[in-house]
């Protein structure tokens, strides 16, 4: 994890001009640009994943900002995922708030002290993980009534931000059978669009030698397929907000995640290795310079 990331929709005041502005369509606000964002969520029923989606599925990861979701709305969304998404061919999906149901935690406030790690969500609160057998199954899910009608209608009243990322898993899905936590980190590496870096791949290989860890690092898209070609194949708009790469870390338990986060492989090797690739915005530079003057 590195430096972190939708601005709420706010009503616009009436224009002073006598001409009225056309009514705006309800839309999802864009997230302010940042270098990386991380989320951790529970994973259950992992032994059923391989049967549903096969060996190297595509992971469709969606981070949401739901700052004011109520219990009824949350239960309704979980029901759509459990009963409708998982009934689609070649699809396995789960939806959780950050940290919820991980070894007794009720949410992020309970879970972060367990792993002794700072909040790097930048107010993203919920994760939707969808594994698809292949691009055709993912496309079918994206364009299904269950997604476009039921899910869109369910999230509409609550959503204040969204980031969507698709990548084919490198490790065989069978290796995830004992995982209970998925730790996902999105990065902005503009110099590495559609490619990886050997030194980063080498460090991820070291992550996979840590106990209880299965890690996968990928640029956006299917294997050997560009971002543009993947989006065209899915017939879906770009909702990545500039993010180019994802690090998926599947963990046997909270102890394994904590060990990974505080390991030399992560803090001593990974942090310096990603630094040259991370996009730093002018706004971030200004904040850093201002903090140095204080």
């Amino acid at each position: 994890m590195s430096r972190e990331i939708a601005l709420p929709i706010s009503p616009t005041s009436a224009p002073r001009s006598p001409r009225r502005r056309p009514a705006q369509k309800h839309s999802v606000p864009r997230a302010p640009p940042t270098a990386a964002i991380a989320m951790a969520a529970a994973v259950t029923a992992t032994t059923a994943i391989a049967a549903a989606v096969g060996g190297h599925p595509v992971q469709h990861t969606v981070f949401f900002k739901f700052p004011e979701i109520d219990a009824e709305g949350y239960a309704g969304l979980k029901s759509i995922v459990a009963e409708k998404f998982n009934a689609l061919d070649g699809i396995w999906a789960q939806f959780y708030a950050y940290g919820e149901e991980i070894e007794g935690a009720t949410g992020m406030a309970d879970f972060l002290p367990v792993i002794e790690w700072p909040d790097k969500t930048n107010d993203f609160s919920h994760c939707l993980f969808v594994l698809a057998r292949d691009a055709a199954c993912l496309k079918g899910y994206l364009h299904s009534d269950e997604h476009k009608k039921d899910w869109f209608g369910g999230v509409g009243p609550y959503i204040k931000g969204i980031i969507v990322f698709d990548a084919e898993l490198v490790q065989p899905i069978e290796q995830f059978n004992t995982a209970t936590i998925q730790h996902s980190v999105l990065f902005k590496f503009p110099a590495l669009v559609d490619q990886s870096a050997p030194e980063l791949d080498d460090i991820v290989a070291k992550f996979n030698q840590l106990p209880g860890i299965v890690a996968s690092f990928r640029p956006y898209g299917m294997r050997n397929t560009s971002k543009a070609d993947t989006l065209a194949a899915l017939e879906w708009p770009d909702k990545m907000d500039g993010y180019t790469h994802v690090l998926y870390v599947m963990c046997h338990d909270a102890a394994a995640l904590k060990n990974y986060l505080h390991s030399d492989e992560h803090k001593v090797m990974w942090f310096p290795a990603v630094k040259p690739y991370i996009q730093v915005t002018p706004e971030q530079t200004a904040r850093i310079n201002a903090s140095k003057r204080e």
Side-chain angles (χ1 to χ4, degrees), residues 7-31:
L7 299 176
I9 299 174
S10 58
T12 55
S13 57
R16 296 183 180 181
S17 167
R19 292 183 299 174
R20 299 182 63 185
R21 296 178 182 176
Q24 294 183 342
K25 295 182 180 180
H26 177 74
S27 61
V28 177
R30 290 176 61 83

Side-chain angles (χ1 to χ4, degrees), residues 86-109:
N86 283 314
L88 297 172
D89 180 51
I91 294 296
W92 179 88
Q94 290 196 164
F95 176 63
Y96 283 104
Y98 185 108
E100 178 193 19
E101 295 188 19
I102 300 178
E103 301 181 13
T106 59
M108 184 172 66

Side-chain angles (χ1 to χ4, degrees), residues 203-216:
I203 297 171
V204 174
K206 294 181 184 297
F207 292 166
N208 281 304
Q209 296 174 12
L210 296 172
I213 295 295
V214 180
S216 178

Side-chain angles (χ1 to χ4, degrees), residues 12-264:
T12 55
S13 57
R16 296 183 180 181
S17 167
R19 292 183 299 174
R20 299 182 63 185
R21 296 178 182 176
Q24 294 183 342
K25 295 182 180 180
H26 177 74
S27 61
V28 177
R30 290 176 61 83
T34 55
I37 182 169
M39 296 283 285
V43 178
T44 59
T46 51
T47 55
I49 300 176
V53 301
H56 289 277
V58 181
Q59 169 120 6
H60 175 75
T61 303
V62 191
F63 293 166
F64 293 98
K65 284 188 177 182
F66 291 148
E68 298 175 352
I69 193 167
D70 54 34
E72 182 180 2
Y74 184 42
L77 295 180
K78 289 184 76 72
S79 177
I80 293 170
V81 173
E83 299 174 12
K84 297 186 176 184
F85 289 175
N86 283 314
L88 297 172
D89 180 51
I91 294 296
W92 179 88
Q94 290 196 164
F95 176 63
Y96 283 104
Y98 185 108
E100 178 193 19
E101 295 188 19
I102 300 178
E103 301 181 13
T106 59
M108 184 172 66
D110 290 340
F111 183 63
L112 288 177
V114 174
I115 57 175
E116 297 181 9
W117 201 251
D119 175 3
K120 298 199 174 188
T121 64
N122 203 36
D123 296 329
F124 282 85
S125 56
H126 292 72
C127 313
L128 172 64
F129 296 141
V130 180
L131 287 170
R133 183 185 303 130
D134 51 30
C137 290
L138 179 56
K139 180 179 179 181
Y141 154 79
L142 290 170
H143 294 275
S144 68
D145 286 346
E146 290 83 351
H147 183 233
K148 298 182 76 172
K149 293 182 179 180
D150 298 336
W151 181 258
F152 281 14
V155 302
Y158 307 107
I159 191 168
K160 300 298 182 183
I162 184 172
I163 296 172
V164 182
F165 203 93
D166 303 313
E168 185 176 358
L169 293 180
V170 176
Q171 303 295 333
I173 194 65
E174 290 81 5
Q175 294 187 17
F176 299 161
N177 283 346
T178 62
T180 65
I181 303 168
Q182 175 156 325
H183 176 75
S184 300
V185 191
L186 300 179
F187 295 94
K188 289 184 178 180
F189 294 156
L192 291 178
V193 173
D194 292 336
Q195 59 183 314
S196 187
E199 67 271 27
L200 300 184
D201 293 334
D202 289 345
I203 297 171
V204 174
K206 294 181 184 297
F207 292 166
N208 281 304
Q209 296 174 12
L210 296 172
I213 295 295
V214 180
S216 178
F217 178 65
R218 292 284 297 154
Y220 178 87
M222 315 304 158
R223 197 173 307 194
N224 301 320
T225 305
S226 69
K227 167 186 169 182
D229 288 346
T230 297
L231 290 172
L234 296 175
E235 297 182 12
W236 201 250
D238 179 348
K239 297 186 179 183
M240 290 166 271
D241 201 45
Y243 287 87
T244 60
H245 291 72
V246 62
L247 174 63
Y248 295 130
V249 182
M250 300 293 284
C251 312
H252 178 71
D253 52 21
L257 175 57
K258 179 180 178 180
N259 180 65
Y260 153 77
L261 290 171
H262 295 275
S263 68
D264 287 347

